Amino acid sequence: MFDRVRIVLIETSHSGNIGSSARAMKTMGLSQLCLVSPKAVDEQSIALAAGAADIVKNAKIVSSFDEAVADCSLVIGTSARLRHLQSTLIEPRDCAEKVTKHQGKVAIVFGRERVGLYNDELIKCHYHLTIPANPDYSSLNLAMAVQLISYELRMANLMKNGNAAQTFSEKTIESQSVTVQEMEYFFNHTEQLYQSLGFIQNQGVMQKLRRLYNRANMEKNELNILRGMLSAVEKGLDLPKIDS
Amino acid sequence: MFDRVRIVLIETSHSGNIGSSARAMKTMGLSQLCLVSPKAVDEQSIALAAGAADIVKNAKIVSSFDEAVADCSLVIGTSARLRHLQSTLIEPRDCAEKVTKHQGKVAIVFGRERVGLYNDELIKCHYHLTIPANPDYSSLNLAMAVQLISYELRMANLMKNGNAAQTFSEKTIESQSVTVQEMEYFFNHTEQLYQSLGFIQNQGVMQKLRRLYNRANMEKNELNILRGMLSAVEKGLDLPKIDS
């Protein structure tokens, strides 16, 4: 399971935090680290990684959130307990359960030390992970948050393996899950069509639709139906078919 | 509950670990810190404590294990998974449950960074706490261990208190949730429109759409958007508006 799970750190400012996060991951059996535009990966990262320097050295470095999660079918972003995210908020234990049950690739995304994830990043996440910290002082260090989430993943995995063996082929199910990139095509197609119909006039509608469909965690055959519906409308309206 | 729970750090060598542990405690609502013969408590401790410097400053400093736990009726010591301790070994989640149920004062004792607790200390503990880490790399930083244990304590306490806050937010969400009847209107509307477009020709498609949208557990504002999209298509096609 742990090979499917990627920890993504966005624009980390303190290089030491990258090392501490790698150490936290390795103590819980995780190894896939992806860094989005880190300020630096240096000897401080390696020093704080201690016996997990291999994870720092093998980390994939990319330049955007989209690139980091493109091949994942479940994206979970850490967040404060924001009101407008209420319906998609999960705590570490639920998160671990969802990840354990999910069959495709998973990204768990940690934001910048001071300001977390931006709204345009949050909207691309299926779930928003919040740690039920002390409301009077909720300032967890980045690597501490990585430690807690990795711990819950390990616990969930240990429990799952303690139970019955899997009876289905993971590969079959993985092939049915939808990647972030496929969802992006669908969202863009929807936006263009309903803009041309005059229904979509601002970003609010698309944000709500993204939230809804990401939450539903669609399967490929469901996405195909929704795309077929877009094409049927275009055909009915005699619009040129949008290539997606 | 948290006033009854004391975190005890034995002969900590890195003063920074004292600060990081204090920060970890405070994020989870713990405040009672006791240090047994620390090598130093200095500006590094305060710097790493960040907003939890008060916990470092108020820490009780004593010179022996016995003194640190004297008034406690439950003493839990962290330990590697040692064979001779097998009958008293517990993991963080069981630990949190035992602490939550216990009525008197509790000490959770963390050993030295390199060598942990000595045998004569372990023998004085009621239980021995072990973190189910990766057997190939189980080297958790001291403050990370404090973070995990404090987190489990907080989770157990939140569950015990069966929090009122959740009841409130559930109510808010309930008022936004969509009834079965409203979903039926939406499904019928969708079916009629896409039948007229020639896209829906059998029940299979509607069954898949029902499954998708029911799983998403829609909110009222989301349903309103989807209904608006149906109307926009009807308007664009110049179809008579279906009354739903």
Side-chain angles (χ1 to χ4, degrees), chain B residues 70-188:
Chain B
D71 60 338
C72 294
S73 48
L74 176 61
V75 180
I76 298 172
T78 54
S79 165
R81 193 176 289 279
L82 298 174
R83 205 176 178 75
H84 72 281
L85 298 174
Q86 212 157 31
S87 64
T88 51
L89 276 180
I90 53 174
E91 294 191 350
R93 204 158 293 169
D94 318 313
C95 167
E97 203 186 321
K98 287 190 196 302
V99 171
T100 309
K101 282 185 184 155
H102 190 77
Q103 301 294 331
K105 288 189 181 172
V106 179
I108 303 179
V109 187
F110 294 80
R112 299 149 192 89
E113 282 102 328
R114 279 181 185 278
V115 295
L117 294 173
Y118 296 145
N119 267 327
D120 64 322
E121 293 162 342
L122 286 171
I123 209 82
K124 292 174 185 161
C125 299
H126 299 96
Y127 292 100
H128 301 97
L129 173 58
T130 188
I131 294 173
N134 178 1
D136 296 331
Y137 183 65
S138 58
S139 163
L140 265 87
N141 167 271
L142 172 62
M144 292 289 187
V146 173
Q147 182 77 68
L148 287 189
I149 307 309
S150 304
Y151 162 76
E152 284 284 13
L153 287 173
R154 183 168 186 80
M155 292 301 291
N157 200 44
L158 287 173
M159 272 185 229
K160 183 187 164 199
N161 293 343
N163 46 41
Q166 203 176 346
T167 322
F168 172 74
S169 69
E170 274 174 10
K171 259 191 188 150
T172 320
I173 290 175
E174 190 173 347
S175 72
Q176 296 172 348
S177 66
V178 173
T179 66
V180 171
Q181 193 165 45
E182 288 166 324
M183 287 303 287
E184 280 307 306
Y185 283 135
F186 166 67
F187 289 135
N188 289 335

Side-chain angles (χ1 to χ4, degrees), chain A residues 2 12 17 20-21 28 30 34 45 56 77-79 84 93 110 125 129 151 153 172 180-181 191-192 207 222:
Chain A
F2 288 138
T12 309
N17 279 340
S20 304
S21 298
M28 295 296 139
L30 290 162
C34 178
S45 316
V56 175
T78 53
S79 165
H84 72 281
R93 203 157 294 167
F110 294 80
C125 300
L129 173 58
Y151 162 77
L153 288 173
T172 317
V180 169
Q181 196 163 46
E191 186 168 9
Q192 286 173 50
Q207 277 174 18
E222 293 169 338

Side-chain angles (χ1 to χ4, degrees), chain A residues 227-238:
Chain A
R227 293 182 60 192
M229 290 165 77
L230 293 175
S231 300
V233 171
E234 283 169 346
K235 216 172 115 189
L237 293 168
D238 211 15

Side-chain angles (χ1 to χ4, degrees), chain A residues 104-115:
Chain A
K105 287 190 182 173
V106 179
I108 304 179
V109 188
F110 294 80
R112 299 149 189 89
E113 283 101 330
R114 280 181 184 278
V115 295

Side-chain angles (χ1 to χ4, degrees), chain A residues 201-218:
Chain A
Q201 291 170 340
N202 60 50
Q203 275 303 303
V205 169
M206 278 314 297
Q207 277 174 18
K208 291 200 178 77
L209 287 176
R210 277 174 181 276
R211 207 178 59 141
L212 164 64
Y213 287 116
N214 280 334
R215 189 174 73 228
N217 218 325
M218 282 205 272

